[in-house]
């Protein structure tokens, strides 16, 4: 169970970092990179929620 929690926190942290990078790129008017970072952030957020659902189903 501890491994799944660490994976959840890691994916959540990565998604937050990608979202911050996306916001900074939108501010700098670099829309192509900002959209790419936004999509990566959403992907990592989906991975994090997958691990969260897996933990709840096991209990």
């Amino acid at each position: 169970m501890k491994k799944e929690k660490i994976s959840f926190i890691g994916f959540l942290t990565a998604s937050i970092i990608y979202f911050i990078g996306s916001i900074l790129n939108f501010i700098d008017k670099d829309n192509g990179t900002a959209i790419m970072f936004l999509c990566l952030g959403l992907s990592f957020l989906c991975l994090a929620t997958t691990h969260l659902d897996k933990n709840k189903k096991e209990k």
Side-chain angles (χ1 to χ4, degrees):
M1 183 167 119
K2 186 172 171 105
K3 260 187 178 178
E4 288 88 9
K5 188 173 183 178
I6 291 173
S7 295
F8 168 72
I9 292 171
F11 283 131
L12 192 62
T13 305
S15 69
I16 291 170
I17 290 170
Y18 276 120
F19 285 140
I20 291 171
S22 175
I23 291 169
L24 292 175
N25 281 316
F26 273 124
I27 291 171
D28 288 341
K29 308 284 189 221
D30 189 10
N31 291 338
T33 307
I35 291 172
M36 181 185 67
F37 278 6
L38 186 64
C39 290
L40 283 169
L42 288 172
S43 298
F44 275 94
L45 187 63
C46 289
L47 285 170
T49 56
T50 303
H51 280 277
L52 182 66
D53 289 341
K54 182 180 174 185
N55 288 340
K56 286 187 178 182
K57 287 179 183 175
E58 289 177 358
K59 289 182 180 181

